C-alpha cells in the first residue's frame, strides 16, 4: 500500500470524477485505490477465492431437440443444484455475439465522455435505464469497480431509444439482431423449466407474462484495477430477474459461491451463461435456486459482460405457480408486484 497521503490524493480526485473508468486512468500507476472501493476482509477476493480451481459449472448442448427428455433433465438438475449453467450450440451465430460485443466496447472506449453522459441515469430515477456507475445501496458505502449501461431490448413497446447510444452508428442494429436470436434461446429454456416442474411447456412462460416479459440488457465495464485483490466489480448477489442470459469477454471475472467457497467459473467462448434468478425461484416455489454470484476485476485487462435480464413488467404479480401449491407444498414466497420486489431488494428491505 502507498502512503495515506497518496490515498487521500486519490480520494480527492475521485470526488471530481465519479466514473470508475476515469478512476482507473488516475490510479493505473499507483498501488492503491480509493478506500470506498476496498471491500471488507470477508469479501476481499484474495482472501475468499478458492485459488487454483476453476468451477466446471454444467455445460448443456441445446441443439439435441430430438431428445427433449434428456435436455429437460440436464437443465432441471443444473437449476436445482447450481442455479447456473452454460449453453452451447444455442443457434446464435458467432458474428451476432461478436457484433454485440464490438459496439458495446466501442461505446465505452471510443465515445467521448460528454456524449456518454447524455444518456446517463438521472439521480433519483425510478428506472435503471441509462449509463451509470452506482446501482443499489452498498453496505458501509462501498462501491463496485464497474461502470454500466442499462436499456431494454424487448418487447418493442417497452423500449426507450433515448438510452441507446447513437454512437457507434451500428449499435442499434447489432442489439436488435442479438435480441431476435436470444428470444429463441429464452423460449427453449422456459419450456424446459416448465416441463421440469410437471407443467405443460407453455405454463411457466405464461405465469411469467409471455409477450410482456421485459429483456433488459446491461453492459458491465470493469476497467483495470491496481488492487484486484481488494476490490470487487459487482458485490455478491442473486439476480432479481426470471433468468439472466449472459455473454462475457475472455477476461476471467465471474465467481459462484458453492459449498462454502467462492470459485472462478470456467470461460467457454461464445457460450451463453444462464443464471436462475429470484423470480424463477419464486415461480417454482423454491425448486429452482437463484445463483449467488459476484464479479472480480483484473489488474491489467478490461473485463466486460453483457447480461440480459428477463424480467416481469413492473405491475406484473409474481408468486408460486398455483398448480404447484398444495397441503404438502405450501407457498414459500409472497405474491407481489415486481416493482415492489425490486424496491425491497434494492433498498435492502425484507420481502
Amino acid at each position: 500500500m502507498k502512503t495515506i497521503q497518496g490515498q487521500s490524493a486519490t480520494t480527492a480526485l475521485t470526488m471530481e470524477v465519479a466514473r470508475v473508468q476515469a478512476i482507473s486512468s488516475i490510479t493505473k500507476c499507483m498501488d492503491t485505490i480509493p478506500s470506498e472501493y476496498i471491500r471488507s476482509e470477508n469479501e476481499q477476493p484474495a482472501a475468499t477465492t478458492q485459488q487454483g480451481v476453476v468451477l466446471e459449472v454444467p455445460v448443456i448442448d441445446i441443439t439435441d431437440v430430438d431428445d427433449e427428455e434428456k435436455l429437460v433433465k440436464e437443465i432441471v438438475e443444473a437449476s436445482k443444484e447450481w442455479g447456473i449453467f452454460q449453453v452451447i450450440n444455442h443457434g446464435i451465430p458467432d458474428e451476432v455475439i461478436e457484433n454485440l460485443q464490438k459496439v458495446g466496447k466501442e461505446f465505452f472506449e471510443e465515445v467521448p465522455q460528454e456524449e456518454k453522459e447524455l444518456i446517463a441515469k438521472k439521480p433519483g430515477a425510478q428506472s435503471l435505464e441509462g449509463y451509470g456507475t452506482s446501482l443499489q445501496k452498498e453496505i458501509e458505502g462501498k462501491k463496485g469497480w464497474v461502470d454500466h449501461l442499462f436499456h431494454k431490448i424487448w418487447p418493442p413497446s417497452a423500449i426507450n431509444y433515448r438510452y441507446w447510444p447513437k454512437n457507434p452508428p451500428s449499435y442499434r442494429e447489432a442489439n436488435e439482431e442479438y435480441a431476435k436470436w436470444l428470444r429463441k434461446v429464452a423460449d427453449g429454456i422456459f419450456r424446459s423449466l416448465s416441463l421440469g416442474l410437471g407443467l405443460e411447456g407453455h405454463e411457466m412462460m405464461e405465469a411469467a407474462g409471455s409477450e410482456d416479459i421485459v429483456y433488459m440488457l446491461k453492459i458491465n465495464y470493469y476497467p483495470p484495477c491496481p488492487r484486484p485483490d481488494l476490490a470487487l466489480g459487482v458485490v455478491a448477489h442473486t439476480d432479481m430477474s426470471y433468468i439472466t442470459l449472459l455473454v462475457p469477454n475472455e477476461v476471467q471475472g465471474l465467481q459462484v459461491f458453492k459449498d462454502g467457497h467462492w470459485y472462478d467459473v470456467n470461460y467457454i467462448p461464445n457460450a451463453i451463461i444462464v443464471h436462475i434468478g429470484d423470480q424463477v425461484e419464486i415461480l417454482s416455489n423454491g425448486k429452482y435456486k437463484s445463483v449467488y454470484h459476484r464479479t472480480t476485476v483484473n489488474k491489467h485487462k478490461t473485463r466486460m459482460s453483457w447480461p440480459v435480464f428477463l424480467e416481469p413488467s413492473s405491475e406484473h404479480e409474481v408468486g408460486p405457480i398455483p398448480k404447484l401449491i398444495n397441503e404438502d407444498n405450501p407457498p414459500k414466497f409472497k405474491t407481489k408486484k415486481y416493482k415492489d420486489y425490486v424496491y425491497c431488494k434494492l433498498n435492502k428491505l425484507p420481502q
Side-chain angles (χ1 to χ4, degrees):
M1 270 271 184
K2 288 245 172 124
T3 62
I4 299 292
Q5 193 175 5
Q7 181 111 8
S8 300
T10 310
T11 306
L13 280 164
T14 65
M15 290 171 74
E16 296 173 17
V17 187
R19 303 303 180 202
V20 175
Q21 197 170 356
I23 296 165
S24 173
S25 298
I26 294 164
T27 59
K28 67 182 175 186
C29 296
M30 301 181 185
D31 185 35
T32 185
I33 53 175
S35 58
E36 62 265 34
Y37 293 94
I38 298 174
R39 310 308 304 194
S40 59
E41 278 187 41
N42 63 342
E43 289 183 292
Q44 290 173 11
T48 56
T49 300
Q50 196 74 0
Q51 303 295 337
V53 184
V54 175
L55 200 62
E56 304 275 351
V57 306
V59 177
I60 301 174
D61 184 335
I62 59 173
T63 44
D64 190 6
V65 287
D66 293 336
D67 193 352
E68 187 173 49
E69 196 176 320
K70 175 174 174 279
L71 178 62
V72 169
K73 185 169 181 286
E74 288 179 352
I75 287 177
V76 166
E77 283 180 4
S79 302
K80 287 167 66 177
E81 299 301 320
W82 293 77
I84 184 172
F85 52 95
Q86 303 200 51
V87 296
I88 56 171
N89 296 325
H90 42 65
I92 305 177
D94 290 355
E95 63 269 20
V96 171
I97 293 175
E98 286 160 12
N99 288 339
L100 173 84
Q101 294 180 313
K102 179 173 174 283
V103 295
K105 190 169 190 285
E106 285 174 5
F107 169 74
F108 278 94
E109 297 187 347
E110 296 178 24
V111 172
Q113 190 63 30
E114 303 75 47
E115 196 175 331
K116 289 201 284 246
E117 296 295 345
L118 292 175
I119 58 170
K121 259 194 295 259
K122 297 283 186 285
Q126 292 301 304
S127 171
L128 294 174
E129 289 189 276
Y131 169 68
T133 299
S134 62
L135 179 58
Q136 62 183 39
K137 283 187 178 178
E138 279 267 34
I139 297 161
E140 299 167 357
K142 297 298 182 185
K143 296 180 178 179
W145 191 267
V146 61
D147 294 325
H148 60 250
L149 173 64
F150 273 106
H151 62 75
K152 294 168 186 171
I153 58 172
W154 191 264
S157 59
I159 291 173
N160 185 345
Y161 287 110
R162 174 189 166 341
Y163 296 111
W164 289 48
K166 296 193 171 43
N167 269 325
S170 56
Y171 186 91
R172 178 168 169 173
E173 182 187 353
N175 277 264
E176 288 181 340
E177 185 68 9
Y178 182 65
K180 181 182 83 178
W181 287 96
L182 194 68
R183 286 173 58 222
K184 296 175 185 174
V185 177
D187 289 353
I189 290 169
F190 265 113
R191 176 177 170 80
S192 292
L193 290 172
S194 192
L195 292 170
L197 294 171
L199 303 169
E200 298 292 322
H202 58 85
E203 288 186 87
M204 177 175 272
M205 195 161 206
E206 282 179 5
S210 298
E211 292 301 309
D212 293 329
I213 294 172
V214 174
Y215 285 56
M216 175 77 89
L217 170 75
K218 183 187 184 194
I219 306 177
N220 288 307
Y221 187 86
Y222 309 94
C225 177
R227 297 301 303 266
D229 55 322
L230 301 178
L232 285 173
V234 176
V235 70
H237 68 289
T238 58
D239 291 344
M240 293 186 285
S241 54
Y242 289 120
I243 57 174
T244 304
L245 306 175
L246 178 149
V247 290
N249 70 355
E250 73 288 351
V251 180
Q252 180 64 53
L254 178 62
Q255 292 193 332
V256 163
F257 194 70
K258 182 82 172 152
D259 303 327
H261 299 284
W262 285 103
Y263 293 93
D264 291 325
V265 172
N266 187 33
Y267 168 71
I268 301 172
N270 287 327
I272 302 280
I273 302 172
V274 181
H275 295 174
I276 299 298
D278 297 346
Q279 306 311 307
V280 154
E281 181 167 336
I282 291 167
L283 286 177
S284 71
N285 203 34
K287 182 169 181 179
Y288 301 135
K289 305 295 182 196
S290 57
V291 63
Y292 195 51
H293 59 288
R294 70 181 186 183
T295 309
T296 59
V297 290
N298 189 284
K299 185 164 187 171
H300 305 292
K301 296 176 182 174
T302 295
R303 181 173 191 268
M304 292 187 72
S305 66
W306 288 256
V308 175
F309 304 96
L310 274 63
E311 305 174 337
S313 59
S314 61
E315 295 291 329
H316 189 78
E317 290 195 345
V318 182
I321 295 173
K323 270 192 182 179
L324 304 177
I325 301 305
N326 54 44
E327 279 185 21
D328 298 326
N329 190 26
K332 296 175 182 168
F333 305 92
K334 294 177 187 170
T335 296
K336 60 169 67 175
K337 287 183 178 178
Y338 183 58
K339 67 179 182 182
D340 297 330
Y341 185 91
V342 170
Y343 180 83
C344 291
K345 180 131 178 177
L346 290 181
N347 290 285
K348 306 279 192 277
L349 300 170
Q351 294 287 357

